[in-house]
């Protein structure tokens, strides 16, 4: 725009709206006036070699919960899903879960060993792993402990803490089936052990059928190399299966003829059932959803029409439908699913809602392509009891109070 044009535009605009407030003072730079940042040059292109969010977004960060954090090296941080749109989690906001802290790994010093029941054991450098044919897939990853603090009642005041142990990234890597062909897996091999190069040397057993199907070894996350805290330089991606089996800092894959019964599949990541027995190897994240707008962190302001929006996912495939209730589950309406709707991926749903200013109970219910329906808390407790920690995928209720604030509540 030339100076003459700008002047004409500004004068024209000024004529059309109320006269400008006298400068300086609040609103002095609002249209049709000129804000200060238009009066000087901005930062140069070399100011931020690696960009960061606006300083005004400084509260959009991962957060921990004090009472869950005995030591930060063996704990979890939560994704601020209340502040995110669409389905992709930016790398710096992905929740992180460590059993022994995030190691600092020099990729030149890292190797992936593939051995056990194979014809040709391999010791690969990271560069060698990256030479194989690659694929990119968008998948959610959820720690099965997500929501595990609320089996007996609501206690976390915020969707970041009730549902934030989840992220969704585009991962790039090589399919395990490609690596399996390379090493020549013996016919009696039926399980794989994956080991991480962290201080916890975290290990998990995986059945071969899943490994052949869609498991891959990733080196990229949303286009750039994996973040150190998410597994740099290599991690296993096990689509739709609980976060724990997605071994970070992957250093070893061993083929065997049975599960290894490691710590993370015996003393942890098993589920105590009401009869006192424990369920093992549950693996799949079953269909789940949550409204992220509004939520305790995002109250609403006065009666009127709002967009209600949230996330749905299933470890069994695509989301087929999401229903939303504004009256605690008595009546349901089907929300719009925003494309892309991908398998084992977060799906964004949206539905308009006209609020009359009275107390309302908002819920969402996901149905996946297998026909599985997200259970109510009552239905889930009837099967699983309240001793469990993992895989709490029940319908979430937000109470919108008459002042527009939102509380985490449970409807019996
Ligand atoms: N080597 C290793 N892999 C690991 C872990 C770990 O502590 N060490 N944590 C697991 C758990 S419990 C989860 S939920 C996911 C979390 O992945 P993220 O930190 O990228 O969110 O990584 C899994 N992979
Ligand atoms: Mo986890």
């Amino acid at each position: 725009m030339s100076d003459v044009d700008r002047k004409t535009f500004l004068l024209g605009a000024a004529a059309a709206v109320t006269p400008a407030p006298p400068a300086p003072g609040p609103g002095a730079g609002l249209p049709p006036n000129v804000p200060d940042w238009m009066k000087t040059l901005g930062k140069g292109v070399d100011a931020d070699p690696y960009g960061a969010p606006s300083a005004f977004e400084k509260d959009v960060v991962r957060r921990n919960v004090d009472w869950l954090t005995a030591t930060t090296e063996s704990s979890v941080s939560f994704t601020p899903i209340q502040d995110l749109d669409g389905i992709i989690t930016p790398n710096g906001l992905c929740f992180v879960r460590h059993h022994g802290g995030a190691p600092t790994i020099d990729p030149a010093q890292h190797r992936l060993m593939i051995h056990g029941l194979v014809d040709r054991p391999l010791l690969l450098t990271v560069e060698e792993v990256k030479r194989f044919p690659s694929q990119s897939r968008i998948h959610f990853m959820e720690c099965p402990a997500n929501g595990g603090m609320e089996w007996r009642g609501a206690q976390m005041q915020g969707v970041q803490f009730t549902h934030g142990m989840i992220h969704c990234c585009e991962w790039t890597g090589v399919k395990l089936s490609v690596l399996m062909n390379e090493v020549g897996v013996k016919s009696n091999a039926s399980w794989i052990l994956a080991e991480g190069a962290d201080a916890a040397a975290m290990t998990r057993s995986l059945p071969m059928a899943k490994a052949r199907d869609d498991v891959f070894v990733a080196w990229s996350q949303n286009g750039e190399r994996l973040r150190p805290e998410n597994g740099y330089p290599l991690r296993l991606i096990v689509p739709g299966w609980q976060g724990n089996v997605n071994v970070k800092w992957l250093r070893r894959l061993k083929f065997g003829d049975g599960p290894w019964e490691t710590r993370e599949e015996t003393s942890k990541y098993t589920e105590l059932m009401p009869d006192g027995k424990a369920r093992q190897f549950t693996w799949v994240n079953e269909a789940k959803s949550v409204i992220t707008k509004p939520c305790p962190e995002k109250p609403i302001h006065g009666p009127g029409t709002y967009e209600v929006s949230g996330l749905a996912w299933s470890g069994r495939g695509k989301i087929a439908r999401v229903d939303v209730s504004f009256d605690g589950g008595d009546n349901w309406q089907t929300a719009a699913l925003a494309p892309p709707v991908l398998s084992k991926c977060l799906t964004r749903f949206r539905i308009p809602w006209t609020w009359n200013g009275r107390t309302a109970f908002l819920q969402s219910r996901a149905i996946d392509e297998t026909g599985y329906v997200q259970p109510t808390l009552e239905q889930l407790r009837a099967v699983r009891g309240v001793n469990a920690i993992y895989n709490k995928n029940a319908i979430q209720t937000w109470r919108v109070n008459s002042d527009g604030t939102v509380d985490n509540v449970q409807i019996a």
Side-chain angles (χ1 to χ4, degrees):
M1 206 186 267
S2 74
D3 281 346
V4 177
D5 286 342
R6 185 186 297 273
K7 216 166 170 183
T8 318
F9 170 74
L10 293 173
L11 288 175
V17 293
T18 43
L30 296 182
N33 292 327
V34 176
D36 286 345
W37 48 82
M38 288 178 75
K39 295 176 185 167
T40 54
L41 292 174
K43 283 199 270 182
V45 291
D46 56 350
D48 302 299
Y50 193 102
S54 159
F56 296 94
E57 301 298 320
K58 66 182 188 329
D59 294 332
V60 181
V61 289
R62 301 190 272 236
R63 291 187 174 82
N64 325 322
V65 173
D66 275 349
W67 58 265
L68 282 174
T69 309
T71 72
T72 52
E73 295 80 10
S74 178
S75 194
V76 63
S77 65
F78 297 78
T79 306
I81 52 175
Q82 70 278 6
D83 288 302
L84 301 181
D85 296 307
I87 58 172
I88 298 292
T89 314
N91 288 343
L93 295 177
C94 288
F95 86 95
V96 290
R97 167 78 177 103
H98 301 153
H99 292 246
T104 303
I105 299 181
D106 173 356
Q109 301 299 319
H110 187 77
R111 296 289 182 276
L112 175 61
M113 179 159 88
I114 312 181
H115 67 140
L117 297 176
V118 299
D119 295 331
R120 298 174 293 279
L122 276 179
L123 193 60
L124 297 168
T125 65
V126 176
E127 283 311 310
E128 283 166 345
V129 173
K130 286 159 67 175
R131 273 177 55 185
F132 285 102
S134 59
Q135 61 163 31
S136 298
R137 292 279 182 281
I138 307 177
H139 290 300
F140 77 83
M141 191 182 301
E142 183 186 23
C143 175
N146 203 13
M149 298 81 87
E150 307 219 320
W151 281 95
R152 290 160 197 267
Q155 63 171 340
M156 315 302 291
Q157 186 58 5
V159 74
Q160 182 163 11
F161 305 111
T162 59
H163 290 78
M165 286 189 216
I166 191 161
H167 51 59
C168 186
C169 300
E170 186 196 50
W171 307 98
T172 299
V174 53
K175 284 198 75 174
L176 213 48
S177 56
V178 173
L179 298 175
M180 284 159 77
N181 286 342
E182 200 68 17
V183 294
V185 178
K186 291 191 189 299
S187 58
N188 59 334
S190 52
W191 287 76
I192 301 184
L193 181 77
E195 181 186 71
D198 50 338
M202 222 205 67
T203 40
R204 286 296 309 254
S205 311
L206 283 171
M208 289 276 282
K210 178 66 176 174
R212 267 191 215 290
D213 176 23
D214 60 356
V215 177
F216 59 110
V217 177
W219 54 80
S220 274
Q221 176 183 9
N222 292 328
E224 62 180 357
R225 294 298 94 87
L226 297 173
R227 289 289 168 95
E229 59 271 35
N230 300 110
Y232 184 88
L234 297 173
R235 97 174 288 175
L236 204 62
I237 298 293
V238 188
W241 282 23
Q242 55 181 225
N244 188 257
V245 296
N246 292 257
V247 174
K248 303 193 274 190
W249 313 296
L250 185 69
R251 71 185 292 268
R252 192 158 72 93
L253 292 168
K254 183 177 185 181
F255 290 82
D257 58 6
W260 279 261
E261 308 285 356
T262 69
R263 175 181 178 274
E264 310 301 332
E265 51 207 31
T266 50
S267 84
K268 296 287 182 298
Y269 299 96
T270 56
E271 292 156 77
L272 192 56
M273 301 295 277
D275 65 2
K277 290 188 179 161
R279 227 166 56 157
Q280 193 188 18
F281 296 137
T282 41
W283 289 317
V284 178
N285 295 109
E286 289 187 301
K288 189 167 170 181
S289 68
V290 68
I291 292 170
T292 56
K293 201 174 94 172
C295 66
E297 297 98 324
K298 301 286 170 195
I300 53 177
H301 303 284
T305 299
Y306 291 88
E307 180 187 71
V308 168
S309 168
L311 296 165
W313 60 97
S314 167
R316 296 195 191 281
K318 290 181 185 173
I319 288 296
R321 201 175 96 201
V322 177
D323 298 328
V324 173
S325 175
F326 302 105
D327 55 12
D330 291 340
N331 296 284
W332 295 93
Q333 293 172 46
T334 298
L337 303 185
V341 178
L342 303 172
S343 184
K344 304 168 191 177
C345 182
L346 291 188
T347 296
R348 173 68 59 178
F349 65 86
R350 299 185 171 104
I351 188 169
W353 176 46
T354 301
W355 183 46
N356 59 15
R358 288 199 289 274
T359 304
F361 294 89
L362 272 53
Q363 299 182 328
S364 63
R365 172 175 75 187
I367 301 164
D368 72 18
E369 63 177 339
T370 71
Y372 177 97
V373 182
Q374 185 183 0
T376 64
L377 200 48
E378 210 175 7
Q379 288 167 336
L380 195 65
R381 282 189 184 134
V383 179
R384 304 271 309 281
V386 292
N387 294 326
I389 298 171
Y390 304 112
N391 299 314
K392 180 181 163 291
N393 67 323
I395 289 171
Q396 170 69 42
T397 308
W398 301 131
R399 184 182 64 211
V400 178
N401 304 303
S402 54
D403 62 359
T405 57
V406 180
D407 288 319
N408 174 18
V409 299
Q410 294 189 350
I411 296 181

